[in-house]
Amino acid sequence: MTNPLRYEVLNLYKNLLYLGKEYPKGADYFRTRLKAAFLKNKDVKEPEKIKELLARGEFVTKELEALYFLRKYRALKQRYYEEDGK
């Protein structure tokens, strides 16, 4: 399989695997779901379909990054700002 998109798929998998380390439900949960998603689409050979799946993977990457930034923002907000009711 010397498909030029292969390296993009592997790079996406590695990036998602790295981002999954901080997943709220745990890294093991994320890793099993990620592996299942990639194995489900392992037989796709059409470049157009692979590009669509890569775009979806990039979307998931951006969503995970947004989730982590929001979690950090909330933690900082709780730490440094008092509630109005106190």
Side-chain angles (χ1 to χ4, degrees):
M1 182 170 151
T2 58
N3 191 352
L5 295 174
R6 182 177 193 268
Y7 300 107
E8 291 182 43
V9 171
L10 289 173
N11 192 28
L12 176 65
Y13 186 79
K14 288 178 185 178
N15 287 339
L16 286 170
L17 199 57
Y18 177 76
L19 286 173
K21 290 180 181 178
E22 296 181 30
Y23 194 69
K25 289 189 177 182
D28 291 333
Y29 174 82
F30 186 84
R31 186 176 27 246
T32 57
R33 299 280 305 251
L34 179 66
K35 185 175 180 180
F38 272 78
L39 286 176
K40 182 178 82 172
N41 296 311
K42 73 177 184 173
D43 295 326
V44 176
K45 303 289 185 204
E46 302 164 9
E48 297 83 22
K49 181 67 175 167
I50 293 173
K51 288 179 184 177
E52 288 177 16
L53 293 169
L54 283 170
R56 180 166 169 80
E58 292 296 329
F59 174 76
V60 170
T61 300
K62 290 177 185 176
E63 288 291 318
L64 283 172
E65 289 172 348
L67 174 74
Y68 296 153
F69 286 134
L70 183 61
R71 185 174 67 187
K72 289 177 184 176
Y73 170 75
R74 286 181 179 164
L76 288 173
K77 187 176 178 184
Q78 288 176 351
R79 192 173 298 155
Y80 293 111
Y81 295 104
E82 293 182 22
E83 293 288 327
D84 291 336
K86 289 183 179 180

